Amino acid sequence: MLNTKTPNKGAITRERIAAVEPRIRPYVRHTPVMRVDMADFGRPAFPVDLKLECLQHSGSFKARGAFTNLLERQVPEAGVVAASGGNHGAAVAYAAMKLGHKATIFVPEVSPPAKLERIRSYGAELVVGGARYAEALAASEDFAERTSALQIHAFNQEETLIGQGTLGLEIEADLPEIDTLLVAVGGGGLIGGIAAWFSGRIRIVAIEPEGAPTLYRAFEAGKPVDAPAEGIAADSLAPKRVGEMMFPIAEAFVERSILVSDDDIVAAQKALWDRARIIAEPGGAAAFAAMLSGRYTPASGERVAVLVCGSNTNPANF
């Protein structure tokens, strides 16, 4: 049964998401949907719709939140600054390039070369340092204080959540009959925005790596708490904790969190490439990993969609 509690979600509303969507529409792609049969992946026959947001500009859904920030907030002469495992930084760099702003992006040492090259290709100043996202975030905050650059947070920012929520709007337009949507979680900006859009009208299930169970731990504790930040998807799904802004939305509208292993994620990456020629980075393949591994088992007749949310990797890596 779906949770229908009303969260204290402030200004992250369906109305604001709907209002922002036409503003960012000239700058983001309406990404395609592919229907697959799980029998093609060695599982019992079952139709699943894949929303291929991995084909979005900059290689992930993050472009939506980046453009929303740059269009809804005043950008100073110093430009914008962001901390990122890679995808958010690439999206902010891309949006800044398109809109004519300076961008400085801080990333941790764990960020893969494919993401660093993408950020550089958009003309941003790239600063690599620190072992994990938290250190890059601290460095970006110091930079913002020194230069007055506009900080664009990867997930704990109102405009970021609203921008990611436009993906929920688009999924509903593409797939109005779905019962369930599987969404990967790191800091929670994506699932928070999508859950705010649907507001309990479908089942939303979070999928997280076992090495970075941020929302899983928050659900256990009843509030955002620190979690491990390890595993194959650490560059995209491993902040210290989920955002304070998204958590009330998740409590109200996300049914539960399911953990998948690194082996599950790698198997999903390989299967998506081998059977559907879809390139997905570890974080982008995590939601499909839940279906492929059987950790999420749909009911008979359930209409399931899986969000493939990022592609910033090289298929040679898996």
Side-chain angles (χ1 to χ4, degrees):
M1 184 174 179
L2 296 183
N3 190 337
T4 56
K5 287 194 299 182
T6 301
N8 179 20
K9 61 181 186 300
I12 304 160
T13 63
R14 284 174 51 82
E15 291 75 21
R16 282 203 68 192
I17 292 167
V20 154
E21 199 278 341
R23 285 207 76 189
I24 70 170
R25 176 51 52 198
Y27 304 102
V28 299
R29 290 177 178 144
H30 187 131
T31 51
V33 171
M34 176 188 288
R35 176 159 291 184
V36 298
D37 191 327
M38 292 306 296
D40 293 336
F41 299 89
R43 300 290 302 175
F46 191 86
V48 173
D49 289 304
L50 305 179
K51 175 63 170 173
L52 301 180
E53 188 67 7
C54 52
L55 300 179
Q56 186 56 258
H57 290 300
S58 76
S60 82
F61 70 92
K62 297 278 191 177
R64 297 174 184 270
F67 275 109
T68 301
N69 273 279
L70 269 66
L71 292 169
E72 292 283 294
R73 302 168 70 193
Q74 187 67 39
V75 179
E77 187 176 345
V80 297
V81 59
S84 170
N87 284 343
H88 176 62
V92 171
Y94 175 78
M97 177 187 72
K98 285 294 185 182
L99 297 175
H101 300 296
K102 299 175 186 175
T104 304
I105 309 298
F106 289 79
V107 299
E109 294 160 2
V110 71
S111 297
K115 296 186 180 182
L116 303 187
E117 286 308 309
R118 187 172 282 268
I119 292 169
R120 289 190 183 101
S121 76
Y122 297 140
E125 182 176 344
L126 180 66
V127 182
V128 181
R132 286 290 184 267
Y133 168 78
E135 288 137 299
L137 177 62
S140 74
E141 290 170 341
D142 177 67
F143 179 87
E145 188 172 336
R146 288 186 288 106
T147 66
S148 299
L150 179 69
Q151 272 192 281
I152 302 180
H153 198 281
F155 52 88
N156 199 39
Q157 175 75 41
E158 188 176 290
E159 288 81 5
T160 302
L161 282 152
I162 291 165
Q164 318 312 23
T166 66
L167 182 50
L169 183 158
E170 189 171 299
I171 290 169
E172 184 168 33
D174 290 343
L175 300 165
E177 303 302 320
I178 60 169
D179 301 308
T180 303
L181 178 65
L182 307 188
V183 183
V185 174
L190 176 61
I191 202 168
I194 289 174
W197 173 258
F198 281 105
S199 296
R201 291 175 296 121
I202 67 169
R203 178 182 299 107
I204 295 178
V205 179
I207 311 299
E208 301 183 83
E210 291 175 343
T214 53
L215 185 57
Y216 188 91
R217 290 285 180 88
F219 279 155
E220 286 184 331
K223 62 182 180 180
V225 293
D226 286 357
E230 303 298 337
I232 193 172
D235 63 305
S236 59
L237 300 183
K240 274 190 175 181
R241 59 172 67 188
V242 292
E244 298 283 344
M245 289 184 180
M246 69 77 63
F247 186 66
I249 303 171
E251 273 198 308
F253 300 135
V254 175
E255 184 182 83
R256 67 187 187 276
S257 173
I258 294 173
L259 303 182
V260 293
S261 69
D262 281 0
D263 287 345
D264 293 334
I265 291 171
V266 172
Q269 285 185 279
K270 291 179 177 177
L272 285 168
W273 174 245
D274 289 342
R275 305 302 173 93
R277 279 303 185 256
I278 295 168
I279 297 174
E281 64 186 90
F288 186 70
M291 286 292 301
L292 187 67
S293 66
R295 297 193 186 215
Y296 184 81
T297 304
S300 176
E302 185 178 347
R303 294 160 296 186
V304 177
V306 173
L307 183 53
V308 184
C309 59
S311 60
N312 285 319
T313 189
N314 186 323
N317 294 342
F318 50 83

